[in-house]
Amino acid sequence: MVDRKGLADFLRRRREALQPEDVGLQRGPRRRASGLRREEVAALCHMSTDYYTRLEQQRGPRPSEQMAAALAQGLHLSLGERDHLFRLLGHRPPPRGASSEHVSPGLLRIFDRLADTPAEIVTELGDTLRQTPLSVALTGPTTHLTGPERSRGYRWFTDPAARDRHAPEEHAFLSRLYASGLRAVVGLRGPGSRAAALADLLLERSAEFRELWDAHEVGLEPHELKCYQHPTLGRIEVHCQTLLDPDQSHRLMVYTAEPGSESHEKLELLAVLGAAAAT
């Protein structure tokens, strides 16, 4: 059963505790509210303002588990707060650890400040959980994907289009890197894990992956310098810096180009064009 009173109070207090700066929003000069507005929270949670308002007013249908997860992420809840929200809604809290897709508030706060930089948050299997607009413009949109296609390593071996935005001279190394990385995760998570299921699928569907898997190569590290082949602007070289959340095995990957370089100018152009126009 839904604890509607407790849910409404919890949502309101968490909304009022968040400041625009906490979620990457600008504080206007005429803002009087101490926290976020309902419409701002609704946008962060990818739901209508009316739907969110009814929750704070103890009305409306019970949110699904997917909607609960969106509320938890939009309100930047900690894992403990997320679990509490699920229980208020009468749902079993999702598992924690590497299989969780709940991004920690600390990682989100950093990510929200990178709106003008290519950056993304990915899982240990390469599922993209968040992308900045400039990341979408540079590497293409990936947060909408479902099933095994969410994993960039899986796409690399099963979808030829996944290689289009990478410089041809990097393809061989990236194939080795993805196979090596997946074997390491399978060893860490064991049989029955999603990593093991992905490996089984790739062994069935990719001769290239089977050959690399049989080589049993592990421990490869990605290159700091990455070369992307943008469909409009051509070659763009960026340096990748990674911040790891060890509790969730999530990685915040930030891409920057050397100031004054041709790639830096192209990133600035992508920022002007916008993600939609550039892709």
Side-chain angles (χ1 to χ4, degrees):
M1 297 294 293
V2 181
D3 180 356
R4 292 191 178 276
K5 184 177 184 303
L7 173 66
D9 184 64
F10 180 66
L11 292 178
R12 179 176 57 81
R13 291 186 180 277
R14 290 308 310 146
R15 173 174 62 82
E16 292 175 348
L18 280 176
Q19 302 304 315
E21 300 83 7
D22 296 332
V23 296
L25 299 177
Q26 295 294 323
R27 178 183 291 274
R30 298 183 179 181
R31 176 180 288 269
R32 295 181 180 179
S34 59
L36 295 183
R37 302 184 178 98
R38 285 174 174 170
E39 58 267 26
E40 291 171 333
V41 171
L44 291 170
C45 298
H46 306 288
M47 61 182 62
S48 70
T49 302
D50 177 68
Y51 184 93
Y52 178 80
T53 299
R54 284 186 291 164
L55 293 177
E56 283 201 9
Q57 293 175 345
Q58 305 181 41
R59 300 186 295 117
R62 180 176 76 156
S64 65
E65 293 184 4
Q66 291 79 8
M67 194 65 77
L71 281 165
Q73 202 68 88
L75 286 166
H76 285 44
L77 301 185
S78 67
L79 283 173
E81 291 169 334
R82 179 205 65 175
D83 292 353
H84 180 65
L85 173 65
F86 269 74
R87 294 188 182 102
L88 288 172
L89 290 168
H91 295 308
R92 183 187 299 274
R96 300 189 181 197
S99 63
S100 172
E101 296 186 4
H102 182 79
V103 182
S104 70
L107 208 59
L108 272 181
R109 280 193 293 270
I110 299 173
F111 176 82
D112 287 338
R113 285 161 172 75
L114 298 172
D116 60 348
T117 303
E120 56 187 351
I121 298 176
V122 300
T123 69
E124 64 182 8
L125 290 177
D127 301 344
T128 307
L129 304 179
R130 290 286 189 281
Q131 280 184 291
T132 62
L134 201 49
S135 171
V136 175
L138 177 64
T139 66
T142 52
T143 56
H144 66 287
L145 298 171
T146 60
E149 286 77 14
R150 296 188 67 195
S151 168
R152 64 182 58 188
Y154 180 86
R155 296 195 304 274
W156 182 261
F157 291 106
T158 59
D159 181 6
R163 308 190 181 198
D164 289 347
R165 296 211 182 196
H166 295 269
E169 65 268 22
E170 289 198 329
H171 288 188
F173 173 76
L174 288 173
S175 293
R176 292 171 54 212
L177 179 69
Y178 288 133
S180 167
L182 182 55
R183 183 174 280 283
V185 179
V186 170
L188 179 64
R189 305 304 172 194
S193 64
R194 179 166 175 254
L198 280 175
D200 289 341
L201 281 175
L202 286 172
L203 287 169
E204 294 176 4
R205 301 177 184 182
S206 171
E208 180 188 14
F209 179 81
R210 286 195 295 272
E211 181 180 352
L212 292 169
W213 191 256
D214 289 342
H216 211 115
E217 189 173 22
V218 294
L220 282 183
E221 295 293 333
H223 296 155
E224 180 186 330
L225 182 66
K226 299 182 182 297
C227 301
Y228 287 101
Q229 194 68 32
H230 191 269
T232 303
L233 300 180
R235 186 183 182 94
I236 301 177
E237 297 183 351
V238 293
H239 293 266
C240 178
Q241 303 298 324
T242 302
L243 177 63
L244 173 65
D245 176 359
D247 294 330
Q248 300 288 87
S249 294
H250 293 162
R251 288 171 169 79
L252 171 60
M253 304 173 70
V254 183
Y255 306 100
T256 60
E258 184 177 347
S261 67
E262 182 180 0
S263 293
H264 187 265
E265 294 176 355
K266 289 180 178 180
L267 283 184
E268 291 184 327
L269 180 57
L270 276 182
V272 173
L273 294 176
T279 57

